[in-house]
């Protein structure tokens, strides 16, 4: 959860720097069409307290939660967060009446319910879409693929269900967060044919099944979280000495592959593969990484835990025995059982 918040903050910082933050905080005035659209949005949200400043003053002056372009007076950013609302409320269709939005944030609104409205496809300039920590229901809409400039899609911590639409594979998304929902079915082969870098992908804590797409092994992924699903098969394609990922979490699935054949990048500092059916031995490169988090427990691994190096896997104060327990025949410190020498 903490890493998500840090990423969201960094993405918003990136957004501000990439647009030059033309409007600054608030608006001195806004276009009449946007002014009327915002009043419709306020009414559609049942006049929540957080936007009490949205009074009918004719120009959006001193209104919270929005930013405008100084030259065009069009609203480019809408950010409404942390309000309980008096009653369950859907995302108003009027949200699609702000065609110059590049960033839309509706998050930490527990009474924001219902599906994502089709009118959101009118926001053709949208780059950042944050709809996390709400109570949204229904599927991840296939029509989101119509947002051709979307760079970050954050739908974490909702009640979304159904399959992940294949159509998302056409979007240049660098941050895709679908974690902590009720999504099911296979992971589509996203990002295929797109030359994207520095990808953040989080689909953890769903009910996804099937294999991890082989194409994920060809992506430039910085952080990949697929834990707590029902994924099966091979995940070895995610590893390699030249891989750039610093986080790989595939824990609590049904994955099965030979771990002794993978190679480990020194950039990888967070590895969570516990509670799977992974077999083989631990690669020696594991001892050369300074781990921030590490867990290979509850698998079918065998052999001696690598010693020495910056990883200090045998140091009980560094990693700890709990990171290795419940395997077939792992041995050596920090586990209490010694390895038998032939």
């Amino acid at each position: 959860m903490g890493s998500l918040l840090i990423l969201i903050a960094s993405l918003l910082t990136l957004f501000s720097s990439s647009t030059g933050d033309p409007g600054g905080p608030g608006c001195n005035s806004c276009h009449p069409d946007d002014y009327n659209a915002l009043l419709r949005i306020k009414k559609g949200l049942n006049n929540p307290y957080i936007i009490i400043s949205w009074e009918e003053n004719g120009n959006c002056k001193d209104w919270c939660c929005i930013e405008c372009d100084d030259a065009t007076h069009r609203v480019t950013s809408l950010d409404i967060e942390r309000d309980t609302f008096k009653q369950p409320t859907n995302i108003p269709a009027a949200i699609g009446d702000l065609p110059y939005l590049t960033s839309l944030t509706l998050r930490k609104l527990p009474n924001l319910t219902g599906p994502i409205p089709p009118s959101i496809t009118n926001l053709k300039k949208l780059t950042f879409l944050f709809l996390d920590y709400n109570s949204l229901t229904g599927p991840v809409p296939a029509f989101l693929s119509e947002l051709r400039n979307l760079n970050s899609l954050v739908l974490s911590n909702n009640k979304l269900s159904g399959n992940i639409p294949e159509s998302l594979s056409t979007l240049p998304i660098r941050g895709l967060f679908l974690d902590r929902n009720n999504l099911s079915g296979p992971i589509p082969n996203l990002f295929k044919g797109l030359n994207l870098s520095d990808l953040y992908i989080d689909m953890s804590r769903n009910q996804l099944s099937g294999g991890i797409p082989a194409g994920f092994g060809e992506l430039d992924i910085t952080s990949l979280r697929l834990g707590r699903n029902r994924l099966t098969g091979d995940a070895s394609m995610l590893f390699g000495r030249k891989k750039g990922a610093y986080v790989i979490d595939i824990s609590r699935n049904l994955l099965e592959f030979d771990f002794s054949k993978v190679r480990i990048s020194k950039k990888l500092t967070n590895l969570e593969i516990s509670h799977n059916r992974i077999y083989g031995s631990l690669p020696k490169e594991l001892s050369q990484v300074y781990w921030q988090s590490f867990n290979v427990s509850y698998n079918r691994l065998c052999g001696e835990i690598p010693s020495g190096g910056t990883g200090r896997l045998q140091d009980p104060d560094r990693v700890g025995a709990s990171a290795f327990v419940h395997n077939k025949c792992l041995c050596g410190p920090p586990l209490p059982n010694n390895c038998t020498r032939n």
Side-chain angles (χ1 to χ4, degrees), residues 51-180:
I51 51 176
I52 194 173
S53 63
W54 291 14
E55 299 177 349
E56 296 190 31
N57 59 11
N59 61 11
C60 306
K61 184 174 177 60
D62 298 324
W63 284 15
C64 78
C65 312
I66 60 172
E67 293 184 8
C68 298
D69 184 283
D70 280 341
T72 63
H73 304 292
R74 304 309 300 243
V75 175
T76 57
S77 175
L78 174 60
D79 183 346
I80 300 176
E81 302 186 44
R82 300 176 185 271
D83 195 299
T84 57
F85 294 172
K86 294 180 180 179
Q87 61 189 43
T89 304
N90 290 5
I91 298 176
I95 208 79
D97 296 336
L98 296 170
Y100 287 82
L101 275 187
T102 55
S103 177
L104 172 60
T105 300
L106 301 171
R107 63 186 308 265
K108 293 192 175 182
L109 307 169
N111 271 337
L112 190 65
T113 63
I116 298 171
S119 63
I120 208 167
T121 58
N122 295 332
L123 308 179
K124 302 301 184 183
K125 298 180 181 294
L126 202 63
T127 304
F128 297 96
L129 179 58
F130 298 93
L131 301 177
D132 52 315
Y133 291 88
N134 299 308
S135 298
L136 300 177
T137 58
V140 176
F143 57 65
L144 291 177
S145 63
E146 297 179 33
L147 301 174
R148 307 301 301 173
N149 294 306
L150 201 60
N151 181 281
S152 298
L153 176 61
V154 182
L155 303 178
S156 309
N157 283 76
N158 280 289
K159 300 176 182 178
L160 301 171
S161 58
N163 292 1
I164 299 172
E166 181 87 28
S167 59
L168 293 184
S169 64
T170 62
L171 294 177
I173 295 177
R174 288 175 54 197
L176 178 61
F177 294 85
L178 305 176
D179 52 296
R180 298 171 188 266

Side-chain angles (χ1 to χ4, degrees), residues 157-292:
N157 283 76
N158 280 289
K159 300 176 182 178
L160 301 171
S161 58
N163 292 1
I164 299 172
E166 181 87 28
S167 59
L168 293 184
S169 64
T170 62
L171 294 177
I173 295 177
R174 288 175 54 197
L176 178 61
F177 294 85
L178 305 176
D179 52 296
R180 298 171 188 266
N181 281 288
N182 299 312
L183 301 175
S184 58
I187 300 174
N189 191 16
L190 302 171
F191 314 105
K192 59 185 178 183
L194 300 175
N195 186 23
L196 301 175
S197 60
D198 197 22
L199 296 172
Y200 290 78
I201 303 171
D202 193 341
M203 302 178 185
S204 62
R205 295 176 182 267
N206 281 288
Q207 302 173 40
L208 300 172
S209 58
I212 298 172
F216 274 30
E218 302 171 5
L219 300 176
D220 182 6
I221 297 176
T222 298
S223 176
L224 178 64
R225 299 182 186 273
L226 302 175
R228 294 179 184 267
N229 280 291
R230 301 172 182 174
L231 301 173
T232 57
D234 188 13
S236 61
M237 81 291 286
L238 303 176
F239 299 90
R241 285 198 179 104
K242 295 183 179 181
K243 298 288 187 181
Y246 76 87
V247 175
I248 294 179
D249 183 351
I250 53 174
S251 62
R252 296 180 183 271
N253 281 288
L254 302 169
L255 297 166
E256 189 171 358
F257 60 96
D258 188 347
F259 200 50
S260 60
K261 293 183 179 180
V262 307
R263 294 295 172 260
I264 304 297
S265 167
K266 289 186 177 180
K267 293 183 179 180
L268 182 63
T269 57
N270 299 265
L271 178 63
E272 302 283 342
I273 64 171
S274 67
H275 293 83
N276 279 289
R277 300 172 179 176
I278 302 169
Y279 57 92
S281 58
L282 295 178
K284 292 183 178 180
E285 296 103 314
L286 293 174
S287 65
Q288 304 303 316
V289 179
Y290 190 84
W291 297 104
Q292 296 180 14

